[in-house]
Every structure is written in C-alpha cells, then in structure tokens.
Amino acid sequence: MTTHTTNASSETTPFMSGIEPVLSLTELCEHLHVPAQTIYDLRSQGRGPRGFRVGRELRFRIGEIESWLARLEDCDQQHASDPGPGGGR
C-alpha cells in the first residue's frame, strides 16, 4: 500500500512569504505604551493607523504602522518649526 504524504510547510511557504507581518491592537498598544482607547480615538479622528479586522480583532500591517509613525513625525516636526499665531519667541 502506498501512502501519499505532503510537506505542509513547503506547500504554504510560497503563499505565506508574500504576507506582511501584522500586529494586533494589543501588541501595537504594548509597543507604543498607550491604551487601546488612544488608538481608537486617533482612528476615529482620521489620524490613526489603517487597520483591518480579522473576526473581532483589529490588525495592523507593520508597513502601515511604520508609515503612520513617519507621518506623525512629519506633522510634529512641521508643528515644532511653525512659529504659530503669536510669532516666534
């Protein structure tokens, strides 16, 4: 009797190699040292990272998190260099 076995890892490797790693909301919050509500608030204001749901859980692509953090840094640098309504001090 001949049995047919497959190596599951070799079958899934080409598919999985194209998937970018993701973080859960909890993992993102732990990494940034902020409560989940902060991320929810930023997202509702249109200032948070783009994410997607897998079931009930929010997930965020690593690349999107990096882009989002870069945008926050750019906004912060622009804000710091802007003298504001009262002019520079």
Side-chain angles (χ1 to χ4, degrees):
M1 178 161 112
T2 305
T3 57
H4 179 70
T5 60
T6 61
N7 184 347
S9 64
S10 67
E11 288 179 4
T12 58
T13 300
F15 173 72
M16 296 301 286
S17 65
I19 295 178
E20 183 177 1
V22 297
L23 292 181
S24 68
L25 176 65
T26 302
E27 292 168 329
L28 177 60
C29 292
E30 287 173 358
H31 181 73
L32 297 176
H33 304 288
V34 297
Q37 191 61 50
T38 299
I39 302 299
Y40 286 128
D41 291 346
L42 287 168
R43 285 172 48 87
S44 70
Q45 298 166 10
R47 298 178 48 224
R50 290 187 313 171
F52 57 94
R53 291 200 180 272
V54 176
R56 292 183 178 195
E57 295 288 326
L58 262 176
R59 304 287 179 183
F60 304 90
R61 293 181 192 276
I62 299 292
E64 173 56 31
I65 294 168
E66 291 170 349
S67 297
W68 169 64
L69 291 173
R71 289 190 305 269
L72 287 180
E73 288 173 350
D74 289 345
C75 286
D76 194 50
Q77 289 173 0
Q78 290 172 5
H79 178 71
S81 65
D82 182 16
R89 290 188 185 195

